[in-house]
Amino acid sequence: MITNEDLLKEISEDELRELSDLNAAGELNQEVIEDAINDAISFIESFIILPTNPTPLLKKILVDMTIYELRRRNGLVSESNKELKKENEAYLVKMSTGRLKVEVTNN
């Protein structure tokens, strides 16, 4: 659903490497990133069913929540990260009630 390239639109390659390198090997750990993506998906799916063709907003929420999860695992969650999570939760609630679209449809 998202790739490292999507994450790199929001954070630097160095930060992604540092956040995923839980064993201090100095390398990007794709397994840690995939696990964080899966945790973000699980969080989102507690509100809605993820569509196959998500809206740009929903995809951005998935990116934000993945970065949040990576920062949480490293004890680096700031107040602004917590605020962004709350904003994203509000969007997800609106999506769950049908007030915001979750899927791009071709009409």
Side-chain angles (χ1 to χ4, degrees):
M1 180 143 312
I2 64 169
T3 64
N4 287 4
E5 288 74 31
D6 295 314
L7 297 171
L8 291 172
K9 291 176 185 172
E10 298 297 322
I11 60 175
S12 70
E13 188 172 345
D14 286 341
E15 184 176 3
L16 184 58
R17 181 176 38 257
E18 289 168 7
L19 291 173
S20 69
D21 185 19
L22 300 180
N23 297 321
E27 298 175 358
L28 186 131
N29 186 329
Q30 192 61 42
E31 192 173 300
V32 171
I33 294 168
E34 293 297 326
D35 193 45
I37 290 170
N38 288 331
D39 286 350
I41 288 170
S42 293
F43 177 78
I44 291 169
E45 286 184 335
S46 70
F47 293 88
I48 61 170
I49 296 171
L50 275 174
T52 55
N53 193 15
T55 61
L57 176 59
L58 183 51
K59 194 169 180 179
K60 172 79 168 75
I61 291 170
L62 180 53
V63 168
D64 289 345
M65 296 310 300
T66 299
I67 294 168
Y68 179 89
E69 181 59 27
L70 287 166
R71 288 179 175 155
R72 185 194 64 75
R73 292 171 186 209
N74 286 277
L76 299 173
V77 175
S78 67
E79 285 304 313
S80 64
N81 296 142
K82 291 176 185 177
E83 286 300 316
L84 182 58
K85 182 180 180 189
K86 285 181 186 178
E87 288 175 25
N88 285 331
E89 286 177 355
Y91 286 131
L92 290 168
V93 168
K94 289 178 182 177
M95 289 175 180
S96 73
T97 61
R99 291 174 41 209
L100 282 176
K101 289 176 125 185
V102 296
E103 186 167 26
V104 175
T105 54
N106 297 328
N107 292 343

